[in-house]
Amino acid sequence: MMAARVAAHPIGRIAEPEEMADAVGWLCSERSSFVTGTALPVDGGYTAR
């Protein structure tokens, strides 16, 4: 089952929890102060295929 999940991601692996947290941390930081009204997929390219 895990191999099928990994194979479904163009990046070839499942995200580490820290990678997901990095995206959240960036959105909560001043570095993203000009980002408004957009979706930020953090999915390893899964939805871009």
Side-chain angles (χ1 to χ4, degrees):
M1 185 177 207
M2 183 58 93
R5 288 183 178 175
V6 169
H9 284 78
I11 201 167
R13 63 182 179 81
I14 301 296
E16 296 294 325
E18 294 83 7
E19 293 172 303
M20 304 303 274
D22 285 344
V24 172
W26 179 76
L27 283 170
C28 293
S29 76
E30 288 296 317
R31 301 215 38 182
S32 68
S33 64
F34 207 68
V35 176
T36 61
T38 189
L40 179 65
V42 184
D43 64 2
Y46 184 80
T47 56
R49 340 181 253 145

